[in-house]
Amino acid sequence: MSTLSKKYSFHEVFDSQKLFRLILEAMSNPTRTVDIREYADKMFGDEPALLAVAMTLLDNEIHFNTCENAALADEITSLTLAKGSEPEDADFIFVCKPDQLQNVMECAKCGTLSDPHKSATVVIRDDSSASGNLTLYGPGIDGECQFPASDLVQRALQLRDAQYYEYPQGIDFIFIAGSGELFAIPRLVRWEVR
Amino acid sequence: MNKNYNFAFLDEGSKREIRRATLKAVAIPGYQVPFGSRELPIGRGWGTGGIQLTLSLIGPEDVLKVIDQGSDESVNAVNIKKFVGLCTDVKTTTDTREATLIQTRHRIPEIPLNNDQILILQVPIPEPLRIVEAREEVTKKMHAEKDYAPIWLELYESLIKYKKVTLSSEYPCMVEGRYVMNPSPIPKFDNPKLHKAQGLYLFGAGREKKIYAIPPHTEVVSLAFDDVPFEKENFAGKKCRLCGSEHTYLDEMFDSQTGEKVYQCSDTSYCQEVRSHASK
């Protein structure tokens, strides 16, 4: 007799809580990198870290987009019941390939002056290594911080700035490396190259 | 732990919604993010916003401290601790340094927060513009347009009438130069503790269904005029009758028999800590 087993061991109550606290720590302290490998290892598929984040934050009230990554979209829908949508309607956009970033940034929703929270969080898979230091400053950063960033991070920030969002409108970034390192850059963090 | 309920009482869908609102609140400091405030076995107005935040954050490894008006032993604080304990089994403490989560009503502890601590404030009226405008749709538009002239006028009128700003608590402050925010009914004494702090401050208003936040190292400036600077309560010449502290927020107590006024630290655990160090 065959037995049924779950494809993942991620605990929806306790692992979600721990992963949320790590994401909150990263969002509150931009440039701080947190390690989510323990939770990614409990998921499955090609993007276990993105799936773990989706399990933690998404549900049937949320629209998401995976930039035509059908396998990831199917997995997120089956796990969370969140609804796939066009990038301009998505609350969460998962970007797995760097060349998709420009299109995402041009159409991601940035909220309104009245409702800035109705904006997208862009979750980017970034496996490239740091290529230079960025100077970051803003809420969550003590003074300013030299942050070793990859070309993709710098590109994402350039594309964000090219949209000339009027604060409080904007989008928030979460970057995740395949090795499970996660950091966040919320909309109010400014940057420069020195 | 009561096994009839989910861990931390709320269902996972509710926690997820509160968590998403919390992340947006952190990303937009001072902005009030609406959320679907849940029913709890506690009446609205007894800290349900703070409790929902605490329940969405808390895990088995957390250490929880709850204070009410600075006291660990008041009815509100004790019952919230019991409730959270019943549905999580987490360790509770009165030691500010030991706590990972601190839920509070009306005070910020005297001991500064560390970066790994989260302070959760219970908020009755999150809208700082409510004293000048009753309609929510109008205050929302005022925030969108950064139209804060009426609140400045309110402060100015207070100066003209009474020669000083008479707001003793809920003193409005400007967050990152963009949002005027109600720091909840903390005394003015505590406002400066919000500025460029080490820890994360989360504010939950259950009845008004709003969550807002101040991340670490965020600029929080109490509203004041160039020629009339912000002033917090002044306890010069007074000290705590128990521990002798002169730099803390003091409660005034009056003995109706003798007519004598005495002062005592509002933060009871801090007061106790000072006394226990003194006795060693």
Side-chain angles (χ1 to χ4, degrees), chain A residues 10 14 18-19 27 31 39 61 64 81 87 90 109 117 121 143 160 176-177 181 185:
Chain A
F10 185 91
F14 297 107
K18 287 179 185 156
L19 181 50
M27 194 64 92
T31 72
Y39 309 102
E61 295 177 353
F64 73 95
L81 303 180
K109 62 180 182 180
H117 64 285
T121 301
R160 180 192 75 172
I176 305 177
E181 292 170 331
I185 302 185

Side-chain angles (χ1 to χ4, degrees), chain B residues 7-272:
Chain B
F7 177 83
F9 189 79
L10 295 172
D11 61 276
E12 290 306 303
S14 299
K15 286 185 200 168
R16 262 193 297 273
E17 197 227 342
I18 296 166
R19 288 168 180 168
R20 288 194 299 264
T22 304
L23 291 179
K24 282 293 178 204
V26 168
I28 316 168
Y31 170 69
Q32 300 165 51
V33 182
F35 80 110
S37 183
R38 268 60 179 179
E39 292 290 336
L40 290 175
I42 293 173
R44 292 236 164 103
W46 289 90
T48 52
I51 294 171
Q52 288 177 79
L53 276 172
T54 298
L55 295 175
S56 73
L57 290 164
I58 203 161
E61 287 150 22
D62 277 308
V63 180
L64 176 70
K65 172 182 166 82
V66 185
I67 51 173
D68 173 12
Q69 299 272 17
S71 169
D72 293 275
E73 309 300 339
S74 78
V75 172
N76 193 235
V78 168
N79 282 307
I80 289 171
K81 254 186 289 195
K82 273 187 189 166
F83 169 61
V84 178
L86 268 175
C87 55
T88 61
D89 265 352
V90 297
K91 183 182 174 191
T92 57
T93 184
T94 58
D95 182 352
T96 303
R97 289 187 186 86
E98 189 192 11
T100 55
L101 297 176
I102 304 172
Q103 183 172 329
T104 173
R105 170 178 174 267
H106 292 204
R107 278 308 315 277
I108 294 174
E110 301 294 353
I111 297 168
L113 292 188
N114 290 326
N115 188 254
D116 56 356
Q117 291 179 306
I118 302 176
L119 190 81
I120 301 138
L121 287 112
Q122 304 168 198
V123 185
I125 302 169
E127 181 51 73
L129 304 175
R130 193 61 71 226
I131 53 172
V132 293
E133 174 55 59
R135 292 164 295 175
E136 173 69 13
E137 69 271 27
V138 178
T139 54
K140 200 162 174 60
K141 193 175 170 202
M142 288 165 73
H143 282 295
E145 295 173 352
K146 204 182 170 188
D147 173 14
Y148 296 130
I151 191 88
W152 283 105
L153 185 61
E154 179 77 14
L155 297 180
Y156 177 72
E157 285 183 346
S158 182
L159 275 175
I160 296 299
K161 277 186 195 168
Y162 307 109
K163 310 285 184 212
K164 63 177 182 180
V165 177
T166 52
L167 292 172
S168 58
S169 62
E170 297 187 279
Y171 192 95
C173 42
M174 180 70 82
V175 181
E176 280 294 324
R178 178 57 182 85
Y179 280 107
V180 167
M181 188 199 84
N182 182 347
S184 92
I186 55 172
K188 280 194 284 189
F189 186 88
D190 286 343
N191 270 29
K193 294 177 188 170
L194 298 168
H195 179 62
K196 304 268 181 197
Q198 288 286 324
L200 170 64
Y201 293 91
L202 297 176
F203 300 77
R207 186 179 51 205
E208 304 288 323
K209 305 179 176 64
K210 296 283 173 62
I211 287 171
Y212 52 109
I214 298 179
H217 313 295
T218 298
E219 191 177 281
V220 183
V221 181
S222 301
L223 298 188
F225 299 96
D226 287 346
D227 54 343
V228 186
F230 170 76
E231 269 183 36
K232 58 182 190 178
E233 292 85 346
N234 184 358
F235 295 107
K238 304 178 179 78
K239 62 181 182 181
C240 173
R241 70 181 174 116
L242 300 173
C243 71
S245 293
E246 295 174 342
H247 58 278
T248 58
Y249 186 78
L250 299 172
D251 288 335
E252 183 183 272
M253 274 167 271
F254 177 71
D255 186 332
S256 58
Q257 302 284 314
T258 63
E260 186 192 8
K261 279 181 194 168
V262 291
Y263 296 89
Q264 190 172 313
C265 286
S266 151
D267 186 338
T268 53
S269 73
Y270 177 80
C271 187
Q272 213 150 27

Side-chain angles (χ1 to χ4, degrees), chain A residues 10 47 92-93 96 104 109 111 122 157:
Chain A
F10 185 91
E47 302 291 350
F92 285 84
I93 303 177
C96 301
V104 164
K109 62 180 182 180
V122 180
L157 291 170

